[in-house]
Amino acid sequence: MIEVENLTKYYGEVRGIEELNFKVNPGEIVGFLGPNGSGKTTTMRILTCYMPATSGKARVAGFDVETQSMEVRRRIGYLPEHPPLYTDLSVRSYLGFVGRLRGLERKQIPSAIEQTVEICGLKEVIERPIAHLSKGFRQRVGLAQALIHNPEVLILDEPTIGLDPKQNAEIRQLIKSLAGTHTIILSTHILPEVTLTCERVIIIHQGRIVADSRLEDLTQERSLEEVFLSLVGFQEGES
């Protein structure tokens, strides 16, 4: 469903990512794990056609992100680190607006809103202005805008950042409930988010992939924290 071959991005002389290779199979939830600045968001932005790669290839649902970007966009739902919300709109109005942007027919929009609101647990706030919602509900609205057109692929960039423990657990459970019906790649620097949500983990450090394995295989002998720290080269005393 997602195929990445030798994907490289440089910002002038600075390496963002270099020669990434991985695949995400249909229905998988894959954690894209790395420290801040490791290249996670760069990769997400290339996969979602927000920026071009310097070299290499990426395909989503069989379509090339560079030469067939409109086909890719039709098949993905993207939740960036900071959800693109219009806070003066109600949840219902905002999702209707996003549905029209996503190409849904007018007659499809009411049922799409109802279905997405049910999945994301937004029934009690559907008529409220987004400006009046808590951080947790805003994050749910961000996930709803990624789901409104029922995409094949979900690309989630730090989906629980800034949430309290209860909100974290709710969003993780929501993401897990989408497994099988959607292919999901979830970028994060938070270890529990991977262990509690994902089936497989790709670890990236300094723009390169240093591990790609099913979580149960990677953690047979050591915890994910121990594996992660050994791979990214942290030393005692580093923050």
Side-chain angles (χ1 to χ4, degrees):
M1 188 57 72
I2 299 174
E3 300 173 275
V4 171
E5 299 176 4
N6 300 318
L7 198 65
T8 298
K9 177 68 178 180
Y10 271 79
Y11 301 96
E13 299 294 321
V14 178
R15 180 182 67 216
I17 55 174
E18 188 165 33
E19 295 189 355
L20 302 191
N21 290 277
F22 64 87
K23 292 183 180 181
V24 180
N25 297 316
E28 272 193 307
I29 301 182
V30 174
F32 201 58
L33 175 66
N36 291 328
S38 59
K40 301 187 303 295
T41 295
T42 293
T43 307
M44 301 298 103
R45 287 177 177 171
I46 293 172
L47 291 178
T48 54
C49 310
Y50 274 67
M51 68 165 63
T54 303
S55 62
K57 293 286 184 183
R59 288 180 290 276
V60 177
F63 295 97
D64 188 281
V65 298
E66 183 175 356
T67 61
Q68 299 170 297
S69 65
M70 292 309 297
E71 294 297 333
V72 172
R73 290 167 194 251
R74 290 187 183 99
R75 289 163 174 81
I76 62 172
Y78 178 37
L79 176 63
E81 184 174 341
H82 302 290
L85 305 179
Y86 290 97
T87 57
D88 56 332
L89 296 180
S90 71
V91 173
R92 185 188 296 277
S93 296
Y94 172 69
L95 292 179
F97 168 70
V98 173
R100 291 192 295 275
L101 286 181
R102 287 296 194 174
L104 295 179
E105 296 179 9
R106 185 175 295 274
K107 63 183 180 182
Q108 295 176 304
I109 289 176
S111 61
I113 291 174
E114 294 304 322
Q115 183 177 11
T116 306
V117 163
E118 177 70 30
I119 292 170
C120 295
L122 291 166
K123 277 189 171 183
E124 65 183 274
V125 299
I126 188 170
E127 306 299 348
R128 291 188 200 172
I130 294 172
H132 296 173
L133 300 183
S134 67
K135 171 72 173 176
F137 272 119
R138 290 191 190 197
Q139 201 71 359
R140 286 174 179 265
V141 175
L143 191 54
Q145 65 80 28
L147 280 168
I148 189 70
H149 57 303
N150 194 28
E152 299 171 57
V153 177
L154 284 173
I155 297 177
L156 312 177
D157 193 2
E158 302 280 2
T160 63
I161 193 166
L163 301 184
D164 65 34
K166 181 176 182 293
Q167 293 167 339
N168 273 340
E170 291 171 348
I171 293 296
R172 282 197 299 263
Q173 188 58 42
L174 174 55
I175 293 169
K176 283 185 72 172
S177 73
L178 299 171
T181 56
H182 301 272
T183 301
I184 302 172
I185 183 166
L186 178 159
S187 82
T188 185
H189 64 279
I190 302 170
L191 295 174
E193 193 164 300
V194 173
T195 57
L196 296 173
T197 309
C198 302
E199 307 160 354
R200 184 173 137 224
V201 61
I202 297 169
I203 300 177
I204 184 171
H205 180 50
Q206 296 180 347
R208 294 190 175 100
I209 290 175
V210 294
D212 180 354
S213 178
R214 289 189 62 81
L215 197 58
E216 59 187 22
D217 296 332
L218 194 65
T219 58
Q220 280 184 346
E221 298 180 358
R222 294 184 293 173
S223 69
L224 181 59
E225 181 178 12
E226 291 171 321
V227 172
F228 179 73
L229 293 178
S230 69
L231 289 170
V232 302
F234 282 128
Q235 298 177 358
E236 191 174 354
E238 283 188 333
S239 61

